[in-house]
């Protein structure tokens, strides 16, 4: 635990984003698939209704809303994290070099399939380059127990 607290203490020096515009979402609820509440065999993930008589496709009053282009986010804040950074997936230490000049715009996110040993090296290198790592504390508990 002590090494973990040292790392979180160092993140106070991490770079702040260049700009932090307000993120406005037109809709935060997920679009649910028609009749997914009635049948267990119909999953909740959105599918466009294509039936000839489908009331959702015909946009009848009282039906669930259909996913449309109008619900899209502002292009300036699309994929922007609440911290003001964009995600950049990192698989190895060399990938961090791409973020050297962009550490105020992109934050590194270590890929899920990177081992604890490599993660440690990536986090150390990111501190040297002053790059924010979103999931730097992941997979550290198992290593400390050994």
């Amino acid at each position: 635990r002590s090494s973990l607290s040292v790392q979180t203490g160092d993140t106070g020096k991490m770079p702040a984003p260049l700009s932090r515009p307000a993120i406005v979402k037109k809709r935060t609820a997920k679009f649910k698939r028609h009749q997914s509440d009635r049948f267990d065999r119909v999953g909740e993930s959105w599918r466009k209704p294509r039936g000839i008589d489908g009331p959702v496709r015909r946009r009848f009053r009282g039906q669930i809303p259909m996913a449309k282009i109008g619900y899209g986010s502002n292009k300036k804040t699309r994929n922007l994290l609440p911290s003001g950074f964009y995600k950049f997936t990192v698989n190895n230490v060399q990938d961090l070099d791409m973020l050297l000049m962009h550490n105020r715009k992109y934050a590194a996110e270590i890929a899920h399939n990177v081992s604890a040993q490599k993660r440690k090296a990536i986090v150390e290198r990111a501190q040297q380059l002053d790059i924010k790592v979103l999931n730097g504390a992941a997979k550290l508990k198992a290593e400390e127990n050994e």
Side-chain angles (χ1 to χ4, degrees):
R1 283 266 179 228
S2 61
S3 64
L4 186 65
S5 62
V6 169
Q7 286 181 349
T8 52
D10 287 348
T11 54
K13 290 186 274 181
M14 283 289 149
L18 276 174
S19 64
R20 207 164 170 176
I23 300 170
V24 178
K25 305 269 189 198
K26 293 179 189 165
R27 180 183 164 93
T28 54
K30 292 271 188 190
F31 288 99
K32 287 187 178 178
R33 186 176 176 182
H34 180 48
Q35 292 194 332
S36 64
D37 55 335
R38 291 187 69 191
F39 304 106
D40 283 335
R41 64 180 179 262
V42 179
E44 279 194 356
S45 63
W46 174 254
R47 300 286 190 279
K48 183 172 170 59
R50 292 194 166 86
I52 53 168
D53 292 330
V56 174
R57 182 189 61 79
R58 291 159 73 189
R59 301 197 192 117
F60 283 3
R61 189 179 66 177
Q63 298 296 321
I64 60 165
M66 236 186 346
K68 295 187 276 198
I69 197 68
Y71 288 108
S73 298
N74 184 350
K75 202 182 272 188
K76 289 179 181 173
T77 60
R78 195 176 301 157
N79 302 319
L80 191 68
L81 299 172
S83 61
F85 289 99
Y86 290 98
K87 275 186 192 176
F88 182 82
T89 307
V90 171
N91 290 295
N92 52 46
V93 180
Q94 289 77 32
D95 285 352
L96 285 174
D97 296 336
M98 287 188 262
L99 298 180
L100 185 61
M101 300 299 290
H102 307 286
N103 65 341
R104 306 269 315 272
K105 187 167 188 175
Y106 292 95
E109 182 183 48
I110 304 172
H112 75 99
N113 54 350
V114 177
S115 67
Q117 182 183 0
K118 291 269 172 81
R119 274 173 193 271
K120 200 172 174 185
I122 290 172
V123 169
E124 286 175 16
R125 182 67 177 143
Q127 282 181 338
Q128 293 169 5
L129 297 176
D130 200 26
I131 296 171
K132 182 183 175 78
V133 180
L134 297 173
N135 56 348
K139 291 194 182 180
L140 284 181
K141 268 192 268 182
E143 188 181 282
E144 286 176 7
N145 292 340
E146 291 174 7

